[in-house]
Amino acid sequence: MNEDRPLTRLDMLRFARRVVEHQAARQLALMDRWIADEERREAERQRRLGARKAAAEWAIERGLSGRGAVYVHVGGCTGAGGGRAKGVGREQAVRALTEEGVPACPLCRPDTALGILE
């Protein structure tokens, strides 16, 4: 700009427009980050939900040492010990309860669901 002449009303309005445009661009970028973060959270929630639905029908939980079985669970039981539970089929769950003497989880009661009474 020419330093010799004073700013006109039009110059000031154009400057104000550039300021507002810059602020709006920053706010839109922030909003886009929030949207992307929320989309990632929702995708993760959907993935976890799908994994839970795809859980095995029955599970056998191993002890902390990983050797002996601790409980037999209905698939998706919240007390199944996280990564220590392995999905198994119905026959293996019945065998663990009846022949191997693995106790049934007191929360989900797989023995009742399988029709086996202690």
Side-chain angles (χ1 to χ4, degrees), residues 2 5 13 17 25 27 39-40 45 50 53 77 90 93-94 98-99 109:
N2 189 348
R5 68 177 180 91
L13 287 171
R17 185 187 187 288
Q27 291 299 316
E39 287 172 341
R40 276 192 294 277
R45 189 183 74 76
K53 286 180 181 176
C77 174
R90 178 182 174 82
V94 170
T98 57
E99 297 172 17
R109 301 303 303 179

Side-chain angles (χ1 to χ4, degrees), residues 72 91-103 111 114-117:
V72 175
E91 295 78 23
Q92 192 173 355
V94 170
R95 187 176 334 110
L97 287 168
T98 57
E99 297 172 17
E100 298 170 16
V102 179
D111 51 347
L114 287 165
I116 301 168
L117 300 175

Side-chain angles (χ1 to χ4, degrees), residues 28-108:
L28 285 172
L30 179 61
M31 190 74 72
D32 288 342
R33 281 197 308 269
W34 290 345
I35 289 169
D37 290 344
E38 190 60 30
E39 287 172 341
R40 276 192 294 277
R41 279 191 289 273
E42 181 63 20
E44 178 62 23
R45 189 183 74 76
Q46 291 296 328
R47 187 197 62 75
R48 284 192 313 267
L49 185 62
R52 190 176 329 145
K53 286 180 181 176
E57 197 171 348
W58 312 100
I60 296 180
E61 177 184 354
R62 299 281 173 198
L64 293 175
S65 67
R67 294 186 183 178
V70 178
Y71 286 120
V72 175
H73 296 275
V74 172
C77 174
T78 57
R84 296 190 326 259
K86 178 186 174 200
V88 296
R90 178 182 174 82
E91 295 78 23
Q92 192 173 355
V94 170
R95 187 176 334 110
L97 287 168
T98 57
E99 297 172 17
E100 298 170 16
V102 179
C105 170
L107 297 174
C108 63

